[in-house]
C-alpha cells in the first residue's frame, strides 16, 4: 500500500510540477527532477507526513527497480536511432565525436584535479582525481532523450546527438575501468591488466552479444503475432527480460564478467529496428506506453539528490572545479572532433552544450569508486555535479537545440503531432 501511494504521489506531483515549469519555459524533465527533490528525504519527506514523499534515502532506494526498467526502455529507444541508413551518413562522425569528446573531457578534468591535489593534497588524493576524470566522460542519455521527445526536436544536430550519447556509454565504461584500475594500483602498488583492460572489454563484448541475440529473437517472436497490442506486449516483455539478464554477474578464470544495462538494451533496439520492417510503428507505441514510467524515473532521480553535500565546503570546492573543467572538456572536445569530421558550424557550436547532463551512469561509477581510500569524496563530488547538471542540463540542451533551429517555439500542441511554430519568426523561447 505504501509503495503504491508513493508511486502515485510521484507521478501526479511530477506532472503537476511540469505545468508550472511550462509557464517558465523549462523542460518537463527539469520539473520532474524538482518535484522529486521536493518529495525527497531532505524536503517534504523530512516532515514525516504519512507517505507524502520519502522519509529516508532507503525508501527511495527501495524503488530502484523502476529506475532500472526505465533506463532499459530509454536505451531501447535510443537503439532505434542506429538505423543502417543513418549510420552510413553519420556513423563515422558519431564514433569519432563520441570517442574524442569523452577522452578530451577526461584529460582536462584529470589535469585540473591533479593540479588541485599537488596544490593541497588534503583536498583530494591522486587516485580519486584520476577516477573523477574518467567519471566526467559519462553523459546521461535519459535527460537528453526526454528533451528531444518533448519538443519533437529533429535535424542533423539531434540525430548526431542521439548517436553520440549512445556511444558515450561504451567509451565511458572503458575509460572508467582503466582509470579506476590505475587508481587502485596507485593505492595498492599492484597493477592488474585484467582489471584495467580485460574486464571492461569483456563487459562491452558480452553486452553487445546479449543485446544482439535478444534483438534477433524479439523479431522472430514478433512475427508470430499480428495484433498490435500483442506485439506491444512482446516488446515490453523482451525489454524487461534484457534488463533482468543485464544484472547478472559471474566469474570465469578469475575475470569478473558482467553486462552494461544500457549497452544491452541499446543493442537490442538497434538489431530489432534494422531487421524488422514494422519496427517504427511498434516503437511509437512503446514510447506511448513508457511515458508514465519515464516520469517516475526522473522524479525518483530527483528524490535521490542529496542536499546535505551542499554544507561541505570541501565537496563544493572540488565540485566546482570538476563542473567547470568537465563542461569545458565536453564543449571543446565536441567542437574539435566535429571540426575534424567536417560537421557544420551549427553542430560544432551547440553539440557540446547538449552533452552536459550527467546522472545514473556516473553515479554507478562513483559507487564503485567508493572502494578507494577517500572514495567518499568522489561520490560526494559526483552527487553535487549531478544535482547541478540535472537541474540545469535539460534547459541548456533545449536552448542549444532551439539555437540550432531544431526545436520550434512551443505553444498548445498535440503531443502526437510535430510541434510547429505559432510565429515562425520567433524562436527565442
Amino acid at each position: 500500500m505504501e509503495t503504491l501511494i508513493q508511486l502515485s504521489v510521484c507521478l501526479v506531483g511530477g506532472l503537476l510540477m511540469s505545468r508550472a515549469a511550462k509557464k517558465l519555459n523549462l523542460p518537463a524533465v527539469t520539473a520532474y527532477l524538482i518535484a522529486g527533490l521536493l518529495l525527497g528525504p531532505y524536503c517534504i519527506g523530512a516532515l514525516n507526513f504519512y507517505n507524502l514523499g520519502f522519509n529516508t534515502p532507503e525508501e527511495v532506494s527501495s524503488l530502484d527497480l523502476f529506475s532500472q526498467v526505465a533506463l532499459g526502455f530509454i536505451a531501447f529507444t535510443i537503439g532505434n536511432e542506429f538505423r543502417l541508413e543513418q549510420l552510413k551518413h553519420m556513423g563515422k562522425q558519431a564514433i569519432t565525436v563520441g570517442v574524442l569528446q569523452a577522452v578530451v573531457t577526461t584529460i582536462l578534468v584529470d589535469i585540473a584535479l591533479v593540479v588541485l591535489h599537488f596544490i593541497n593534497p588534503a583536498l583530494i588524493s591522486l587516485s580519486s582525481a584520476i577516477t573523477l576524470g574518467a567519471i566526467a566522460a559519462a553523459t546521461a542519455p535519459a535527460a537528453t532523450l526526454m528533451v528531444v521527445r518533448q519538443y519533437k526536436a529533429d535535424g542533423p544536430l539531434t540525430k548526431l546527438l542521439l548517436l553520440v550519447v549512445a556511444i558515450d556509454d561504451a567509451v565511458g565504461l572503458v575509460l572508467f575501468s582503466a582509470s579506476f584500475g590505475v587508481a587502485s594500483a596507485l593505492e595498492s602498488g599492484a597493477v592488474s591488466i585484467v582489471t584495467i583492460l580485460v574486464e571492461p572489454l569483456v563487459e562491452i563484448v558480452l553486452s553487445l552479444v546479449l543485446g544482439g541475440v535478444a534483438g534477433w529473437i524479439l523479431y522472430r517472436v514478433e512475427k508470430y503475432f499480428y495484433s498490435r497490442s500483442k506485439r506491444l506486449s512482446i516488446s515490453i516483455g523482451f525489454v524487461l527480460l534484457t534488463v533482468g539478464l543485464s544484472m547478472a554477474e559471474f566469474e570465469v578464470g578469475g575475470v569478473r564478467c558482467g553486462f552494461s544495462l544500457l549497452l544491452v538494451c541499446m543493442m537490442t533496439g538497434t538489431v530489432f529496428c534494422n531487421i524488422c520492417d514494422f519496427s517504427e510503428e511498434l516503437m511509437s507505441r512503446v514510447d506511448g506506453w513508457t511515458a508514465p514510467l519515464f516520469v517516475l524515473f526522473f522524479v525518483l532521480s530527483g528524490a535521490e539528490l542529496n542536499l546535505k553535500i551542499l554544507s561541505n565546503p570541501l565537496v563544493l570546492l572540488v565540485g566546482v572545479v570538476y563542473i567547470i573543467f568537465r563542461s569545458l572538456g565536453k564543449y571543446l572536445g565536441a567542437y574539435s572532433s566535429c571540426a575534424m569530421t567536417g560537421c557544420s558550424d551549427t553542430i560544432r557550436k551547440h553539440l557540446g552544450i547538449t552533452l552536459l547532463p550527467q546522472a545514473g551512469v556516473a553515479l554507478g561509477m562513483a559507487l564503485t569508486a567508493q572502494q578507494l581510500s577517500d572514495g567518499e569524496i568522489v561520490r560526494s563530488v559526483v552527487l553535487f555535479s549531478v544535482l547541478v547538471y540535472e537541474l540545469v542540463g535539460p534547459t541548456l540542451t533545449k536552448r542549444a537545440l532551439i539555437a540550432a533551429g531544431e526545436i520550434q517555439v512551443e505553444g498548445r500542441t498535440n503531443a502526437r503531432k510535430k510541434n510547429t511554430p505559432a510565429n515562425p519568426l520567433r524562436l527565442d523561447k
Side-chain angles (χ1 to χ4, degrees):
M1 181 184 71
E2 293 177 355
T3 300
L4 291 176
I5 292 174
Q6 287 175 334
L7 290 176
S8 174
V9 170
C10 287
L11 188 57
V12 175
L15 291 172
L16 290 175
M17 183 63 71
S18 70
R19 300 307 302 170
K22 188 173 179 64
K23 300 291 184 182
L24 301 174
N25 290 322
L26 294 175
V29 61
T30 302
Y32 303 149
L33 289 164
I34 293 174
L37 196 62
L38 294 176
L39 292 171
Y42 306 102
C43 290
I44 294 176
L47 300 178
N48 289 319
F49 289 131
Y50 179 71
N51 288 330
L52 183 60
F54 300 94
N55 302 137
T56 64
E58 288 71 27
E59 287 186 16
V60 186
S61 300
S62 68
L63 299 177
D64 276 350
L65 182 61
F66 290 94
S67 297
Q68 295 296 311
V69 171
L71 271 178
F73 279 101
I74 288 168
F76 184 68
T77 302
I78 291 177
N80 188 49
E81 300 297 324
F82 281 84
R83 294 183 177 271
L84 289 177
E85 182 181 350
Q86 197 166 319
L87 289 175
K88 290 178 182 177
H89 297 290
M90 306 185 74
K92 183 179 179 181
Q93 284 182 334
I95 293 172
T96 303
V97 175
V99 173
L100 289 183
Q101 58 83 23
V103 171
V104 169
T105 301
T106 296
I107 292 173
L108 283 183
V109 175
D110 272 344
I111 292 173
L113 294 180
V114 168
V115 169
L116 190 63
H117 162 75
F118 283 114
I119 292 175
N120 187 350
L123 287 176
I124 186 171
S125 69
L126 188 59
S127 57
S128 291
I130 293 172
T131 304
L132 273 170
I135 294 176
T139 298
T144 301
L145 180 64
M146 284 293 286
V147 172
V148 169
R149 287 176 57 176
Q150 179 185 354
Y151 297 106
K152 312 298 183 292
D154 189 28
L157 174 59
T158 301
K159 289 182 172 63
L160 181 60
L161 169 62
L162 291 175
L163 294 176
V164 169
V165 295
I167 294 169
D168 189 83
D169 183 50
V171 178
L173 176 64
V174 173
L175 289 173
F176 174 75
S177 298
S179 297
F180 183 65
V182 172
S184 300
L186 286 174
E187 294 196 344
S188 65
V191 178
S192 173
I193 300 300
V194 172
T195 303
I196 296 175
L197 294 177
V198 177
E199 288 185 354
L201 292 177
V202 167
E203 182 170 334
I204 291 172
V205 172
L206 288 178
S207 299
L208 295 179
V209 170
L210 175 60
V213 171
W216 182 81
I217 295 176
L218 173 59
Y219 166 64
R220 302 299 298 180
V221 174
E222 293 278 17
K223 290 182 67 176
Y224 287 102
F225 299 91
Y226 299 96
S227 165
R228 292 177 177 176
S229 59
K230 290 179 179 177
R231 283 180 169 175
L232 173 62
S233 299
I234 290 295
S235 300
I236 292 171
F238 259 80
V239 175
L240 293 176
L241 175 64
T242 52
V243 170
L245 291 176
S246 67
M247 296 178 181
E249 290 188 359
F250 53 94
E251 190 171 305
V252 177
V255 178
R256 187 191 65 83
C257 301
F259 302 92
S260 165
L261 184 151
L262 289 175
L263 283 181
V264 171
C265 294
M266 264 188 260
M267 192 62 179
T268 302
T270 299
V271 171
F272 177 68
C273 77
N274 279 290
I275 63 178
C276 180
D277 54 358
F278 51 83
S279 63
E280 288 197 37
E281 178 191 357
L282 193 55
M283 289 300 296
S284 65
R285 290 181 171 274
V286 171
D287 288 345
W289 183 87
T290 55
L293 187 61
F294 289 174
V295 175
L296 285 175
F297 171 76
F298 284 105
V299 173
L300 291 174
S301 296
E304 288 180 329
L305 298 177
N306 187 350
L307 295 182
K308 284 186 176 180
I309 59 175
L310 298 178
S311 62
N312 187 336
L314 173 62
V315 171
L316 293 180
L317 174 60
V318 179
V320 168
V321 174
Y322 174 88
I323 289 173
I324 291 174
F325 282 89
R326 179 182 181 270
S327 302
L328 189 62
K330 286 291 179 183
Y331 185 83
L332 294 179
Y335 188 96
S336 58
S337 55
C338 284
M340 288 174 56
T341 54
C343 294
S344 66
D345 287 339
T346 299
I347 294 179
R348 295 182 198 179
K349 292 177 182 177
H350 302 294
L351 180 62
I353 297 173
T354 63
L355 296 174
L356 293 181
Q358 188 174 48
V361 177
L363 289 173
M365 293 175 178
L367 189 62
T368 302
Q370 281 189 293
Q371 300 172 29
L372 298 173
S373 58
D374 63 341
E376 190 59 40
I377 188 68
V378 175
R379 180 164 171 76
S380 297
V381 169
V382 173
L383 282 169
F384 173 62
S385 72
V386 167
L387 176 64
V388 174
Y389 280 126
E390 284 297 271
L391 294 177
V392 177
T395 300
L396 294 177
T397 298
K398 173 193 171 185
R399 291 186 177 277
L401 291 173
I402 289 176
E406 299 187 9
I407 290 179
Q408 305 298 329
V409 60
E410 67 267 29
R412 292 184 176 274
T413 58
N414 188 326
R416 295 184 178 88
K417 298 179 180 178
K418 184 176 180 179
N419 194 0
T420 55
N423 181 351
L425 297 180
R426 292 192 63 196
L427 297 176
D428 55 331
K429 290 187 178 181

